[in-house]
C-alpha cells in the first residue's frame, strides 16, 4: 500500500468519462509531478494500464469498483482485478455515482472494505447537496455518510476521505475558505479515529484557487474534475 504519511499534499485528477489514447499520450508527456506531493490520475478504467508515468510519486486510480468479489456480474471490475493491474487508489461513493447509479452508503462501505483488503486505498467521497446545505443539514448528512460509508477497518494509512459538496461540483461555485476549513475540521472531529485521516477537498478547484484551498489547516489535498483535463492547468495545481 502507498505510504500516505510521506506526502504533505495529495492531488487527484478525476477525468470522469473523458479521454482517449492521444489525449493521455499528450497529457503524460506534459505532466510535471512535484515530488513533495502524491499525484493520482483517475482515468476511465480501460486506459489505466496505458498510463505510464516515470515518477515514483505518480499513481493511477480507478473511478469505481464492483461491490462483488467475483461471479456472474456482467460489466463489473473487482478490487482484486484492480490490484492485479497495480492500481493503488480508487474513488468510491462519488456523488455522480450516488446520484446516477444509486450507490448507497452501504455499497460504498463494502467497496471500500474490498479495496482495503486488496491493499488499494479507497478515496471515500462525501458531501451535501445545496438543498441540504440551505436547510443547515450539512453536519447531519456528513455524519451519516461517514458512519455508514467508512468501514471499521479503515484508518488514516489505508483510506482517504474527500469532501465534495455536491453543489460545488462542475458549477464554478465553492464554499468560502472558512467553510471548507470548518467542515474538514468537523470531519476529523467526528470520532477520534478520524483525527489523522487525510481529507481532500473537491468541487470547482482550479489553478486560481487551489493554493489557498490546499493551504488551509485541515485540508490535505484536492480532488479535481474539470480543471484536471487541462494538463497545463493541472500542472499549476500540483506544483
Ligand atoms: P469539478 O472539479 O469539475 O468541480 O469536479 C469535482 C469532482 O467531481 C472531482 O471528483
Amino acid at each position: 500500500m502507498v505510504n500516505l504519511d510521506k506526502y504533505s499534499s495529495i492531488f487527484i485528477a478525476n477525468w470522469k468519462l473523458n479521454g482517449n489514447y492521444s489525449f493521455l499520450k499528450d497529457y503524460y508527456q506534459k505532466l510535471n509531478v512535484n515530488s513533495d506531493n502524491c499525484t493520482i490520475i483517475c482515468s476511465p478504467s480501460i486506459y489505466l494500464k496505458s498510463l505510464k508515468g516515470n515518477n515514483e510519486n505518480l499513481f493511477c486510480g480507478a473511478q469505481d469498483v464492483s461491490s462483488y468479489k467475483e461471479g456472474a456480474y456482467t460489466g463489473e471490475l473487482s478490487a482484486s482485478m484492480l490490484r492485479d493491474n497495480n492500481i493503488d487508489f480508487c474513488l468510491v461513493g462519488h456523488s455522480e455515482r450516488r446520484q446516477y447509479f444509486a450507490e448507497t452508503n452501504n455499497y460504498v462501505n463494502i467497496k471500500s472494505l474490498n479495496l482495503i483488503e486488496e491493499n488499494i486505498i479507497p478515496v471515500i467521497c462525501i458531501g451535501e447537496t445545496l438543498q441540504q446545505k440551505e436547510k443547515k443539514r450539512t453536519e447531519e448528512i456528513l455524519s451519516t455518510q461517514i458512519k455508514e460509508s467508512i468501514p471499521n477497518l479503515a484508518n488514516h494509512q489505508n483510506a482517504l476521505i474527500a469532501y465534495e459538496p455536491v453543489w460545488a461540483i462542475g458549477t464554478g461555485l465553492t464554499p468560502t475558505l472558512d467553510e471548507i476549513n470548518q467542515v474538514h475540521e468537523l470531519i476529523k472531529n467526528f470520532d477520534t479515529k478520524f483525527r489523522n485521516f487525510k481529507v481532500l477537498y473537491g468541487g470547482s478547484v482550479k489553478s486560481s484557487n487551489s493554493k489557498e484551498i490546499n493551504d488551509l489547516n485541515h485540508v490535505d489535498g484536492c480532488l479535481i474534475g474539470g480543471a484536471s483535463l487541462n494538463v497545463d492547468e493541472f500542472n499549476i495545481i500540483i506544483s
Side-chain angles (χ1 to χ4, degrees), residues 2 11-13 28 38-45 47-53 55-63 82-83 85-91 120-121 123:
V2 174
F11 292 100
I12 307 180
Y28 269 70
C38 174
T39 301
I40 304 155
I41 309 291
C42 296
S43 73
S45 293
Y47 295 118
L48 284 169
K49 279 289 269 185
S50 310
L51 300 180
K52 284 193 189 63
N55 188 301
E56 59 172 348
N57 303 304
L58 174 62
F59 302 93
C60 292
Q63 296 176 14
L82 295 179
R83 170 43 60 217
N85 283 277
N86 297 321
I87 306 305
D88 290 301
F89 294 86
C90 182
L91 305 180
I120 297 170
I121 295 176
V123 182

Side-chain angles (χ1 to χ4, degrees), residues 12-14 16 91 94-96 125 164 168-173 202-206 223-228:
I12 307 180
N14 177 9
K16 308 189 179 184
L91 305 180
H94 190 281
S95 66
E96 287 151 14
C125 303
E164 294 205 302
I169 296 177
T171 58
L173 302 171
S204 295
V205 174
K206 40 191 186 282
L223 173 53
I224 305 114
S228 76

